Amino acid sequence: MGDSEVLTPSTLVIGVLAVQGDFAEHAAMLRRAGVARALDVSVREVRKPADLAALDGLIVPGGESTTIGKLLVLYKLLGPIRERAQHGMPLWGTCAGAILMAQRIAEGRLEGQPSLDLMDITARRNAFGRQLDSFEVDLDVPAIGEAPLHTVFIRAPILEAAGKAVATLATLADGRIVAAQQGNLLATCFHPELTGDHRFHRYFLEL
Ligand code: GLN
């Protein structure tokens, strides 16, 4: 927990898992989205179970899902995060984070690979092959507003076979799902933290 945290009853405390990956970019976007919504947002880097205390939401950033999964076990965060999310804490996984939230992985899951195992989706890792490992595209995301969202995909997964309780928030032109929500759980295959557009972070704050 940061010593600099100044909390009032209206402060939203949002955690960003900070064991690997691009957590600093998420923290910056959360602060900007908070300002835009006139919300009092305090961002906390999460590295140990005590950091989860009184969190109003948590982001699991992009990175390498196998590495983040192992670190979640090492830092004793896997079970506590799963439990908080099961009890309603908003949880948003981007890219590797989305893979960690999926209940199923299409091929490619190594035996015993740790997972938060929360959302009724099947994630396919590195779904875009080598040439297309990374690309950018404008997508319609009606949940966050009319204007298309510029999205960045980096060795991204897709979400296949989403269950009935899962709402699709965005698809590619070919219909493949790249953003989904199941109640308090949010998964995006792209990286909204790497653009100037903080509407997705605002959407999460509103959850
Ligand atoms: N390819 C990575 C994985 O499988 C995810 C990449 C990312 O988070 N940008 O974990």
Side-chain angles (χ1 to χ4, degrees):
M1 247 177 264
D3 296 330
S4 58
E5 258 185 17
V6 182
L7 306 183
T8 71
S10 63
T11 304
L12 278 177
V13 186
I14 308 294
V16 183
L17 182 71
V19 298
Q20 197 244 350
D22 69 334
F23 50 86
E25 289 80 0
H26 270 298
M29 286 294 263
L30 281 168
R31 291 194 184 97
R32 287 181 49 202
V35 170
R37 292 286 292 124
L39 291 169
D40 179 12
V41 176
S42 175
V43 182
R44 186 191 292 167
E45 292 185 359
V46 170
R47 295 193 179 82
K48 52 187 190 302
D51 296 337
L52 297 173
L55 274 194
D56 295 306
L58 175 67
I59 294 178
V60 180
E64 196 56 44
S65 56
T66 43
T67 306
I68 296 175
K70 282 179 196 159
L71 293 172
L72 283 175
V73 172
L74 188 69
Y75 296 153
K76 300 189 166 51
L77 282 166
L78 190 74
I81 290 175
R82 183 188 294 134
E83 238 162 74
R84 289 294 305 276
Q86 282 168 341
H87 286 92
M89 178 185 72
L91 182 67
W92 175 17
T94 58
C95 206
I99 295 168
L100 283 160
M101 288 173 72
Q103 285 176 347
R104 294 170 301 278
I105 305 291
E107 301 158 71
R109 162 120 61 192
L110 303 171
E111 202 52 46
Q113 190 174 311
S115 167
L116 290 166
D117 199 8
L118 285 164
M119 275 181 87
D120 189 6
I121 49 176
T122 303
R124 178 176 295 275
R125 295 182 63 191
N126 303 323
F128 296 97
R130 271 202 195 144
Q131 306 89 318
L132 287 175
D133 266 357
S134 301
F135 62 97
E136 302 187 17
V137 65
D138 288 338
L139 293 180
D140 283 325
V141 189
I144 63 163
E146 240 170 64
L149 180 73
H150 189 70
T151 57
V152 182
F153 288 76
I154 303 169
R155 298 212 315 125
I158 54 163
L159 309 178
E160 10 182 270
K164 279 203 189 77
V166 179
T168 297
L169 297 184
T171 60
L172 295 173
D174 62 11
R176 288 186 289 175
I177 303 171
V178 289
Q181 180 174 356
Q182 182 177 349
N184 58 313
L185 308 172
L186 203 54
T188 58
C189 298
F190 46 84
H191 290 268
E193 74 283 11
L194 297 181
T195 66
D197 191 334
H198 49 64
R199 283 180 293 160
F200 230 108
H201 288 78
R202 257 158 65 181
Y203 184 71
F204 183 64
L205 290 180
E206 278 153 20
L207 273 188

